[in-house]
Amino acid sequence: GRLINMATSNLSFLSNFGQFFPSIVVGIFALIAGAAVVWQSFGVYTLIGIGYIVAWYPLQILGVLASTKDRTTTDNLTNERVKTTSETIEAIRLLKMYTWEFKFKEKIEQIRRKEVDFLKGASIGGALSRACAFSIQDCGTFLMFIAYYYTGHTLQVGDVFASYFVFNYLRLFSS
């Protein structure tokens, strides 16, 4: 049971890597194709929106690396808790004989508190990362529209919706 618990918690990384790695590769081509489509309507102003998106990539990569480090720490804490719990259950007769169960209960609870505190911090970091990732395209599109409008051009409804759709499609590959 202990081996299965540790294996399932540690192998989730491979599942996530296999799920998201193709998006990294395809995302570069999607960004170029999306920029070409929007370029037809907004010309050089497309570079403002695409540039804004690309400027956020390094920060998103740092967020992913930090969450990977957080996940490793969480896995280690979970493994420690599972190991201690399993050892306690295996030695329950000895613990009862010497009335050590409260000592081990406190030890397990201390590890769990550490694990939960760390998970709270990691959840906040993940939420901030997702909030940035899902607002980047909207901000980039907005900046492009503002620059285009304030340089004397007229925004056409069809061009605005089409480019907004393309930028939101790029969200699939950049977040």
Side-chain angles (χ1 to χ4, degrees), residues 1-8 79 82-87 90:
R2 179 174 53 183
L3 181 63
I4 291 172
N5 284 340
M6 288 182 187
T8 55
N79 290 343
V82 168
K83 179 182 168 192
T84 305
T85 303
S86 296
E87 289 172 354
E90 289 171 6

Side-chain angles (χ1 to χ4, degrees), residues 76-126:
N76 290 340
L77 287 169
T78 301
N79 290 343
E80 182 182 351
R81 181 178 50 83
V82 168
K83 179 182 168 192
T84 305
T85 303
S86 296
E87 289 172 354
T88 303
I89 290 171
E90 289 171 6
I92 198 75
R93 188 175 297 159
L94 186 64
L95 292 173
K96 287 283 191 189
M97 187 169 71
Y98 289 107
T99 63
W100 290 342
E101 63 264 7
F102 294 112
K103 177 72 174 153
F104 279 85
K105 178 185 171 201
E106 289 173 10
K107 183 178 179 181
I108 293 169
E109 286 175 347
Q110 179 184 12
I111 295 169
R112 180 63 182 156
R113 274 193 300 275
K114 215 186 305 182
E115 184 181 7
V116 167
D117 289 343
F118 193 81
L119 283 171
K120 285 179 185 176
S123 295
I124 291 170

Side-chain angles (χ1 to χ4, degrees), residues 3-174:
L3 181 63
I4 291 172
N5 284 340
M6 288 182 187
T8 55
S9 67
N10 291 331
L11 290 177
S12 66
F13 169 76
L14 291 177
S15 172
N16 290 337
F17 181 76
Q19 181 181 2
F20 295 114
F21 182 72
S23 293
I24 295 169
V25 175
V26 173
I28 295 167
F29 297 110
L31 189 66
I32 293 168
V37 169
V38 176
W39 187 279
Q40 299 297 320
S41 299
F42 291 98
V44 73
Y45 299 98
T46 304
L47 296 177
I48 294 171
I50 297 297
Y52 185 82
I53 292 171
V54 170
W56 276 91
Y57 276 161
L59 290 174
Q60 286 183 315
I61 290 169
L62 289 176
V64 168
L65 293 175
S67 69
T68 302
K69 181 182 171 191
D70 290 348
R71 184 65 192 165
T72 302
T73 304
T74 303
D75 287 345
N76 290 340
L77 287 169
T78 301
N79 290 343
E80 182 182 351
R81 181 178 50 83
V82 168
K83 179 182 168 192
T84 305
T85 303
S86 296
E87 289 172 354
T88 303
I89 290 171
E90 289 171 6
I92 198 75
R93 188 175 297 159
L94 186 64
L95 292 173
K96 287 283 191 189
M97 187 169 71
Y98 289 107
T99 63
W100 290 342
E101 63 264 7
F102 294 112
K103 177 72 174 153
F104 279 85
K105 178 185 171 201
E106 289 173 10
K107 183 178 179 181
I108 293 169
E109 286 175 347
Q110 179 184 12
I111 295 169
R112 180 63 182 156
R113 274 193 300 275
K114 215 186 305 182
E115 184 181 7
V116 167
D117 289 343
F118 193 81
L119 283 171
K120 285 179 185 176
S123 295
I124 291 170
L128 290 173
S129 176
R130 282 189 299 281
C132 288
F134 282 107
S135 65
I136 289 171
Q137 286 76 14
D138 294 334
C139 292
T141 309
F142 178 73
L143 291 174
M144 181 182 71
F145 294 154
I146 292 294
Y148 187 79
Y149 178 78
Y150 280 112
T151 55
H153 297 90
T154 304
L155 292 171
Q156 302 297 321
V157 175
D159 293 338
V160 168
F161 280 115
S163 61
Y164 186 75
F165 175 78
V166 169
F167 272 74
N168 279 328
Y169 179 73
L170 293 176
R171 177 182 291 160
L172 296 173
F173 300 107
S174 65

